[in-house]
Amino acid sequence: MTRRNTAHSSLRDPLGTLRRMESWAAPDSIPALPPIDPQAVPLRLYDTATKAPREVEIPAGATATMYVCGITPYDAAHMGHAATMIAFDLVVRQWRDRGIPVRYVQNVTDIDDPLLERAARDGEDWVVLGMRETALFREDMHALRVIPPDHYVGAVESIPAIVSLIERLLESGAAYRLEDGSGDIYFDVAAAPRFGYESGYDRDTMLALFAERGGDPEREGKRDRLDPLLWRGARPDEPAWPSALGPGRPGWHIECAAIAMGFLGDQIDVQGGGNDLIFPHHEMSAAHAETLTHCHPFARTYVHAGMIGLDGEKMSKSKGNLVFVSRLRGDKVDPAAIRLALLAGHYRADREWTEELLKAGQERLARWREAVRRPAGPSGAVVLARLRERLADDLDTVGALAAVDAWASETLAGGGRDETAPSLVSDAVDALLGVPLRVSDSA
Ligand code: 5CA
Ligand code: ZN
C-alpha cells in the first residue's frame, strides 16, 4: 500500500493557538557515531497485529512517525513507565543513528476518571494534581536521558480536535448518542470492518479486558457491549467543556486517535505503549482512525512493552505496589544505573523490578565507566557493530549489554590495543543505549 504519513495541513497543528503542554528538556548532547549501513542492519520490531517481527521501513527522504501513549498524571512515574518510555527511546535512537528524521508524539491523559478519583480521594484540585505529576514526569524523563517527543500533547488542549472527529463519526453513522439523556456518545465497533485485527483477541477475552480496563460492557442502551465511550456528557461535580456535542469530556481512545492523527497523519509507522494497552486502547484507537480515514493499518507496526511488576504483580498506581523513579533519584541513585537495570531485560518481556536488578545495574555502570577510562581495549568498531546488530533485532538489549560486558571485562583485564576503543564504546553506549559513561566521577 502507498505510504501516507503526511499530516493534513489543516490538522498539522490542530490545536491552533491553544496553550500547549511542554515537552521535557533534551539530553545535553548525543554523540555522533561513524555512519551505519542501514541496508546491512534493517530495524526490526515485533508487531502485535501480525504477531511477527516486522522490518520498519522508512523510505529515503521520509520522516519516521511514532506515537507513544503517555501517562495519566495522578501519581509519580514508576519503574514500569520508565521501562516503557526507555524502550521507545531506543527506537528513536535507532532512527537517529540511521540519519532518519523522526516525528515523535506522546500524550498526557490530563483528564480521565483515575485523575478525578485520586483528586477526590485526596481532596485536591485535579488540575493541580495533573500539573504536578506531569512536571515530575518531565524531570524523571530528563534525568533518564529519554529524548523528548517533538510534540507532548494533553487531552484537555486537544478537546476541539477530539470533538471534530466525534462529529465526523456521528455524521457517518459510526457513532451514536445514548437515548437516556446522559449526553454520552459511543462508537459503534461494527462500523470498523477490521475490528479486532490489532489484538487478535477473541470476543470473550475482549469483553473481560474491556471491563477490566476502563470499559463499560454492562452499560444499558449500547449497540454492542464492546462499544467504547467517545464523549461523556456533563455530570454534576465533574469537569465538562462546552462543545458542539453538548457539554462533556472526551473518552480515552478517541483522545489518542485524535492526537496521533492530528500531528502525524492518517497512518503512522509505530504505535507504542505498554502491553496493557493492546486491548481495548490500541484496538479502539485504530478502529476510530480507520473508520475516519479508510486507511489500513493505522499503524504499520504496533509495538508493546512488557509490564514491570513488583512481588509478582503488575506495578500499577491503583495497586499501590510502586517504585518511583523520583524516589530513587531522591535517594541519589544514578539514573544511568536505573536505565541499565531496566535494559538488562528484553523490553517485551513482562518482568520484575528488584533490588538486585538495581544493584546489578549499578555494578555494571561502574564497570563500564572504569573500562572507558582505560587508555586502550579490544576493537571499539566490533562493539559498535555488535550493538547496532543486536538493537536492530527487536531491541535486543540483553545481547547489546552482553557485548559491552565482554569488551569491558577484556579491557579491565588489560586486553586489546585499540586506543580509540574507550571513546568509541563510550559514544556508542551513550548514543544507542542512552547511558552516559564519560562523566566526571559520578555519584
Ligand atoms: N494515559 C494512558 C495511555 S493513553 C496510560 O495508560 N497511562 S499510564 O500512566 O497508565 O501508563 C503510561 C504508559 O506506561 C503507558 O504506555 C502504559 O502502557 C505504560 N505502563 C503502565 N504501567 C506499566 C508497567 N507496570 N510496566 C510497563 N509499562 C507500564
Ligand atoms: Zn493512549
Side-chain angles (χ1 to χ4, degrees):
M1 97 158 310
T2 50
R3 194 184 159 81
R4 287 167 68 180
N5 78 338
T6 334
H8 297 298
S9 54
S10 61
L11 285 175
R12 189 175 282 281
D13 187 4
L15 312 177
T17 55
L18 287 183
R19 211 197 135 271
R20 186 69 60 77
M21 186 75 71
E22 273 165 45
S23 197
W24 54 92
D28 35 346
S29 70
I30 300 167
L33 298 177
I36 184 175
D37 173 5
Q39 262 84 46
V41 267
L43 173 61
R44 283 195 189 83
L45 294 173
Y46 184 89
D47 174 35
T48 301
T50 53
K51 296 189 175 60
R54 230 184 106 84
E55 205 169 296
V56 182
E57 271 183 82
I58 312 294
T63 295
T65 54
M66 178 162 79
Y67 183 87
V68 173
C69 283
I71 57 163
T72 304
Y74 66 90
D75 209 340
H78 56 61
M79 303 320 292
H81 302 129
T84 293
M85 296 310 155
I86 288 170
F88 291 98
D89 182 51
L90 295 187
V91 176
V92 172
R93 288 168 185 273
Q94 283 295 294
W95 282 326
R96 285 178 68 107
D97 188 37
R98 289 168 171 73
I100 298 169
V102 180
R103 198 167 160 91
Y104 173 20
V105 178
Q106 185 177 133
N107 72 308
V108 187
T109 307
D110 58 358
I111 178 67
D112 205 359
D113 297 346
L115 192 61
L116 300 177
E117 284 159 15
R118 176 61 61 93
R121 187 197 80 177
D122 296 350
E124 195 179 8
D125 182 325
W126 66 274
V127 175
V128 176
L129 172 63
M131 287 171 73
R132 189 179 63 238
E133 297 306 346
T134 305
L136 189 58
F137 177 74
R138 285 193 194 97
E139 269 185 32
D140 289 341
M141 292 300 107
H142 179 66
L144 290 168
R145 291 174 85 83
V146 173
I147 297 174
D150 303 286
H151 300 279
Y152 192 48
V153 189
V156 171
E157 63 189 305
S158 306
I159 288 174
I162 295 169
V163 166
S164 85
L165 291 194
I166 298 173
E167 286 185 291
R168 283 167 55 197
L169 288 169
L170 280 168
E171 277 160 29
S172 71
Y176 60 95
R177 243 173 229 285
L178 286 202
E179 285 164 10
D180 57 5
S182 61
D184 294 354
I185 301 174
Y186 280 82
F187 177 76
D188 183 349
V189 292
R194 308 197 195 233
F195 180 73
Y197 83 87
E198 181 268 342
S199 64
Y201 294 156
D202 61 34
R203 191 170 163 89
D204 285 346
T205 307
M206 286 185 186
L207 279 166
L209 291 175
F210 188 65
E212 202 178 295
R213 298 174 178 166
D216 53 1
E218 307 305 336
R219 179 78 191 265
E220 295 286 326
K222 296 202 295 179
R223 292 180 188 165
D224 187 309
R225 293 169 70 199
L226 286 174
D227 289 351
L229 181 75
L230 291 167
W231 186 255
R232 179 171 163 88
R235 304 288 201 277
D237 305 323
E238 282 186 19
W241 286 262
S243 84
L245 306 168
R249 59 182 168 99
W252 176 29
H253 319 302
I254 192 69
E255 165 197 342
C256 284
I259 298 172
M261 289 168 68
F263 285 90
L264 298 173
D266 292 354
Q267 198 178 34
I268 62 181
D269 288 304
V270 171
Q271 159 78 291
N275 65 20
D276 58 332
L277 302 184
I278 293 174
F279 193 91
H281 188 50
H282 288 170
E283 191 77 67
M284 298 298 182
S285 293
H288 296 338
E290 292 179 25
T291 303
L292 286 158
T293 64
H294 307 289
C295 178
H296 171 83
F298 173 52
R300 294 185 185 86
T301 314
Y302 292 91
V303 181
H304 291 106
M307 286 295 110
I308 301 294
L310 188 71
D311 307 326
E313 286 217 74
K314 169 189 161 181
M315 202 178 278
S316 81
K317 289 176 276 203
S318 44
K319 290 207 180 87
N321 58 338
L322 306 171
V323 176
F324 295 122
V325 177
S326 43
R327 179 61 219 237
L328 292 181
R329 289 201 290 120
D331 291 341
K332 304 291 177 223
V333 172
D334 189 329
I338 301 177
R339 216 172 150 115
L340 275 182
L342 291 169
L343 294 175
H346 189 252
Y347 81 96
R348 281 202 290 123
D350 291 338
R351 54 205 197 277
E352 294 275 304
W353 175 261
T354 60
E355 280 285 321
E356 295 73 53
L357 195 67
L358 177 60
K359 200 154 168 283
Q362 289 168 319
E363 284 166 6
R364 176 174 267 136
L365 182 65
R367 238 174 12 251
W368 290 9
R369 284 186 172 161
E370 197 188 333
V372 299
R373 280 202 292 264
R374 296 291 165 97
S379 166
V382 167
V383 176
L384 173 60
R386 184 76 184 152
L387 271 177
R388 281 174 162 160
E389 191 238 322
R390 285 298 80 226
L391 291 169
D393 178 11
D394 197 26
L395 310 177
D396 174 16
T397 54
V398 178
L401 265 54
V404 182
D405 280 342
W407 179 87
S409 301
E410 283 184 51
T411 302
L412 291 173
R417 290 173 191 282
D418 180 357
E419 289 174 9
T420 64
S423 75
L424 182 56
V425 170
S426 159
D427 284 354
V429 166
D430 189 344
L432 301 175
L433 296 174
V435 176
L437 296 182
R438 293 249 155 144
V439 286
S440 45
D441 277 306
S442 61

